Amino acid sequence: MRIDLFLKQSRLIKRRTVAKGAATKDLIIVNDKIVKPSYQVKVNDLITLNLGSKQIIVKVTSLIPKKDELMYDLISESFIGQKN
C-alpha cells in the first residue's frame, strides 16, 4: 500500500492529496529515510510525520483497515519547539 493511501486510510491525515503533498515536501520519514508518495508501506515500518509544529511517530501494525481498530501504534507525539 502506498504511503499516501495508508495515511488517509489510517486517518493520520484526512485527505490523500494532503498526504501526497506532505510526502512531496519531504515531511514524511519512514525508517529514517525521506520517502515519496509512492513508497510501499510494510508492517513494522516506523513513520515520522512532521506536520506544522507537530511531530508524530507511529509503527505500522496492519495494512488492512478494520472497523474500530487502528492500523498503527502511536510511539510519540510532540510539539516542535516546545519548552519543558
Side-chain angles (χ1 to χ4, degrees):
M1 175 181 298
R2 291 170 53 110
I3 186 77
D4 55 349
L5 182 58
F6 174 81
L7 293 172
K8 189 239 184 243
Q9 286 189 346
S10 66
R11 297 183 174 208
L12 285 165
I13 296 180
K14 289 185 180 184
R15 292 185 177 86
R16 187 172 178 183
T17 54
V18 175
K20 186 176 180 180
T24 304
K25 294 177 185 172
D26 299 338
L27 300 176
I28 300 174
I29 301 169
V30 178
N31 300 328
D32 297 325
K33 294 181 182 176
I34 296 172
V35 296
K36 297 299 176 193
S38 61
Y39 175 82
Q40 294 295 314
V41 178
K42 297 173 280 305
V43 174
N44 294 326
D45 277 350
L46 281 176
I47 300 174
T48 303
L49 302 171
N50 297 305
L51 303 172
S53 62
K54 189 183 244 186
Q55 183 180 57
I56 302 169
I57 302 173
V58 298
K59 182 177 181 179
V60 178
T61 57
S62 172
L63 298 176
I64 301 166
K66 295 178 185 171
K67 188 175 181 179
D68 298 331
E69 286 187 29
L70 293 177
M71 296 172 65
Y72 59 88
D73 286 332
L74 182 64
I75 304 298
S76 74
E77 183 175 9
S78 60
F79 288 95
I80 299 170
Q82 181 180 13
K83 295 182 181 179
N84 292 334

